[in-house]
Amino acid sequence: MINLNFDYLMNKIPDINYTYSEGVVVNVIGLTIEVQGITAFVGEVCNIYNISNEEISCEVVGFRDKNVILMPLGELIGISPGCRVVPTGNPLTVKCSDELFGKVLDGLGNPLAGPEIARYTVYSLNASPPDPLKRRRITEILPTGVRAIDGFLTCGEGQRIGIFAGSGVGKSTTLGMIARQAKAEVNVIALIGERGREVLDFIEKDLGVEGMKKSIIVCATSDKSPLVRLKGAFTATAIAEYFRDQGKKVILMMDSVTRFAMAQREIGLAIGEPPATKGYTPSVFAMLPKLMERSGMSLKGSITAFYTVLVDGDDFNEPIADATRGILDGHIVLSRALAAKNHYPAIDVLASVSRLMSEIATTEHKQEASMARELMATYKDSEDLINIGAYVKGSSTKIDNAIKYNDSIEAFLKQGINEITEFDQSLNMLKNIFN
């Protein structure tokens, strides 16, 4: 009996962690907490016990001399010099499960309402993108239900698209239309840095009951710490990866990449990183591809991603918009001028492009879309002359055709929020413009 107990103990010894480390808070500057007495790695979660002995989770974001720099995943209230700090030895993870459907989660993946997830698989927030040589090619069309996109900017399953717009032009509404109507099995929607009022509005008005049934919302509102806003994007991506690994067709929507970049800028500046273009730190431009390359095709399933970009001052060449456009497989531009004309969705087809449409659309579809684009471009160039009556009919065949088909093209591009159009129906409507 003694030998059995001895063998049991000897077998358990390799699993025991013999070390225990504990540090103390020595300084708090702005958003950062300086800790002395522990050894930790970047990305490790540490727990601080404040003056009320409440546990505050933090993440290691850097080092200064021999001290560790932490940033809280909550509030700094109650933290004082000498507070105990205990490293956990683990990075942040998220609980992934089919129980997540219809739930609204915070930036760290915890349900904001309802019971906790009972059965789950743990996924790391900082996974690596799929091996580029093991990504399946994009060959299948993913219908979105939005005529302007399906007709002129056809998306493929596993494609990554940017939606570029200024504030109040209809990004959230467009995302809601895609979430309700797109042919996908799972929607993972990340609301990063949104106003708190808009979260429930998006769920009830833009997404609706039907859209919510197959959706998971990750919400990190603007009042949360920059670290939580940053992690919200990675949490949503990790959840999308979980369903992709099950072989499902997933749509990942993120609103917005700009606020994700702003959160990383706040973190970078707080830990002493030098500012670069428009105050954005170099780590911002390193972080964007690490986030976006994780979506796309894998050996099993797919993540088709729509990332919104809130362009600063309607400048579509500002740093984040420019960097994002270079990473993604296409961009959809929403125009304030079209929105002012009550043209919704306010998609500027001439300024938008899908880099994969030429590979996945049929020859007939591409020809019809190309003809319509040419007519739209011709009408736009001559619009001032037409409006003031300076153009004489018969002067140019191209302009005559542009005037003839303009109303039909406009009718095709306009679509009600709750108007459902199947992909084949969109192609027939596009074909009928010229018949």
Side-chain angles (χ1 to χ4, degrees):
M1 190 70 177
I2 294 173
N3 289 335
L4 286 174
N5 286 336
F6 179 76
D7 292 340
Y8 175 78
L9 290 172
M10 290 300 292
N11 289 332
K12 286 293 184 182
I13 284 173
D15 299 328
I16 297 173
N17 182 8
Y18 300 99
T19 61
Y20 174 81
S21 62
E22 189 175 287
V24 293
V25 174
V26 294
N27 204 0
V28 176
I29 300 176
L31 301 171
T32 62
I33 305 162
E34 194 168 340
V35 175
Q36 191 178 65
I38 62 171
T39 301
F41 57 86
V42 171
E44 182 177 353
V45 177
C46 298
N47 294 323
I48 297 179
Y49 295 88
N50 67 11
I51 55 175
S52 302
N53 205 35
E54 296 170 335
E55 186 178 277
I56 300 171
S57 294
C58 303
E59 186 181 71
V60 178
V61 294
F63 308 97
R64 184 177 294 123
D65 298 327
K66 293 184 179 180
N67 294 343
V68 176
I69 306 300
L70 305 180
M71 189 164 282
L73 294 163
E75 298 295 333
L76 286 166
I77 296 170
I79 296 176
S80 65
C83 284
R84 291 191 305 126
V85 182
V86 180
T88 65
N90 299 311
L92 282 169
T93 56
V94 61
K95 299 174 183 178
C96 299
S97 166
D98 288 350
E99 295 178 33
L100 293 175
F101 282 111
K103 286 190 177 293
V104 180
L105 313 176
D106 66 13
L108 303 178
N110 304 308
L112 289 176
E116 292 291 324
I117 307 302
R119 302 177 65 182
Y120 56 84
T121 302
V122 173
Y123 263 58
S124 171
L125 264 61
N126 298 304
S128 300
D131 186 331
L133 296 180
K134 293 181 180 178
R135 288 180 183 258
R136 289 179 294 136
R137 292 191 63 196
I138 297 173
T139 56
E140 299 293 326
I141 290 172
L142 182 84
T144 63
V146 180
R147 289 196 296 268
I149 297 175
D150 289 343
F152 291 91
L153 308 163
T154 310
C155 297
E157 180 190 337
Q159 189 171 350
R160 299 161 305 153
I161 296 284
I163 299 178
F164 294 73
S167 57
V169 183
K171 296 186 302 299
S172 298
T173 303
T174 304
L175 285 182
M177 291 175 70
I178 296 171
R180 288 195 307 273
Q181 302 176 31
K183 304 299 181 184
E185 297 168 275
V186 185
N187 294 324
V188 182
I189 303 169
L191 303 176
I192 309 300
E194 288 293 301
R195 291 177 283 270
R197 174 190 62 80
E198 293 183 336
V199 175
L200 195 59
D201 279 357
F202 177 80
I203 293 170
E204 294 184 352
K205 185 184 73 173
D206 297 328
L207 198 56
V209 176
E210 290 303 313
M212 194 62 188
K213 286 180 181 178
K214 61 175 183 177
S215 298
I216 300 157
I217 311 293
V218 177
C219 171
T221 51
S222 58
D223 61 301
K224 300 299 180 185
S225 72
L227 192 58
V228 172
R229 281 179 270 139
L230 186 80
K231 295 304 178 185
F234 289 108
T235 296
T237 303
I239 293 170
E241 287 171 333
Y242 165 77
F243 288 104
R244 178 179 65 185
D245 291 347
Q246 292 185 330
K248 295 185 182 294
K249 292 182 181 180
V250 183
I251 287 183
L252 170 63
M253 300 179 179
M254 194 169 294
D255 187 12
S256 70
V257 170
T258 305
R259 292 191 174 112
F260 166 84
M262 288 177 175
Q264 178 57 31
R265 177 173 64 182
E266 288 180 52
I267 294 169
L269 293 173
I271 62 175
E273 196 179 353
T277 312
K278 282 201 171 181
Y280 288 104
T281 56
S283 63
V284 172
F285 301 100
M287 194 78 75
L288 288 172
K290 286 182 180 179
L291 174 71
M292 296 176 181
E293 284 293 339
R294 287 170 62 178
S295 54
M297 300 294 283
S298 71
L299 289 174
K300 294 182 180 178
S302 65
I303 300 175
T304 307
F306 294 88
Y307 298 99
T308 70
V309 180
L310 180 63
V311 292
D312 187 13
D314 287 353
D315 177 12
F316 291 92
N317 294 314
E318 57 94 24
I320 300 304
D322 205 35
T324 304
R325 195 163 44 238
I327 298 166
L328 300 178
D329 306 317
H331 52 273
I332 297 169
V333 175
L334 302 187
S335 165
R336 192 176 298 278
L338 288 175
K341 296 176 182 178
N342 201 34
H343 182 297
Y344 288 101
I347 297 173
D348 187 345
V349 172
L350 296 178
S352 307
V353 67
S354 169
R355 294 180 181 175
L356 291 170
M357 181 176 175
S358 59
E359 297 181 27
I360 58 178
T362 63
T363 302
E364 184 182 10
H365 179 186
K366 287 184 286 187
Q367 288 175 346
E368 289 162 354
S370 179
M371 287 171 57
R373 274 179 176 271
E374 289 179 12
L375 292 170
M376 291 169 67
T378 300
Y379 188 89
K380 185 176 181 181
D381 289 342
S382 310
E383 190 170 12
D384 290 341
L385 291 175
I386 296 167
N387 288 340
I388 64 173
Y391 174 73
V392 179
K393 185 177 180 180
S395 302
S396 168
T397 305
K398 280 188 175 183
I399 297 176
D400 287 344
N401 286 332
I403 295 171
K404 177 182 177 182
Y405 294 114
N406 182 63
D407 289 343
S408 299
I409 294 171
E410 288 285 309
F412 174 83
L413 294 175
K414 288 182 179 180
Q415 186 174 347
I417 294 173
N418 298 311
E419 185 180 350
I420 299 174
T421 308
E422 297 293 333
F423 185 77
D424 290 340
Q425 187 181 355
S426 292
L427 295 191
N428 287 332
M429 291 176 69
L430 181 60
K431 185 178 182 179
N432 290 336
I433 290 175
F434 306 105
N435 294 334

